[in-house]
Amino acid sequence: MIRPARESDLQQIRFLAQTSFRAYLAREDAKIKQPDMDPRQLQQEGRLFVYMIDAALGGYIAFHQDGMDMHVEHLAVTPRFRSRGIGRALLNYVDTLGLLRKCLRVVLHPNVVLFQNIAFYRSRGYTEIDRRLVEGHEYVYLERYLR
């Protein structure tokens, strides 16, 4: 079930956000930084949603609308629930809201070293439109048009 994040979810979201990137942060060659995320602010702004499995956090997504685009800012799935369609369901949720809001596309920009994430987004129909170096970190800009 996908629903808006509640205050009671924030501790689990913080933990997932901190632990999701550990494997990448540990690599000596990785030029990646810990996501800059304030779950409380995102929750208060109505931009943070969770996927719940019974009472457990399956994953979360943070996004916002900018004009005709939906921007995915953060997406993470709890490791024990990966490969169960949670990431796909969260992205589909953003697509549905985008269509209801008459948006044209969904855009996101993972760090280039997150090659598994990039492959997942490509398998979902996202195409690369740009690469940018921001504060020494390279990001891949991806988009997917809504229908």
Side-chain angles (χ1 to χ4, degrees), residues 1-6 9 46-54 56-63 75-77 84-97:
M1 170 179 86
I2 298 173
R3 63 165 171 75
R6 299 176 184 151
D9 301 321
R47 297 172 24 209
L48 184 60
F49 292 77
V50 295
Y51 187 108
M52 300 301 292
I53 300 174
D54 297 321
L57 178 73
Y60 70 84
I61 191 164
F63 60 90
L75 171 65
V77 175
R84 295 190 189 183
I86 293 170
R88 181 173 48 251
L90 288 165
L91 286 174
N92 287 343
Y93 185 79
V94 173
D95 288 354
T96 300
L97 283 177

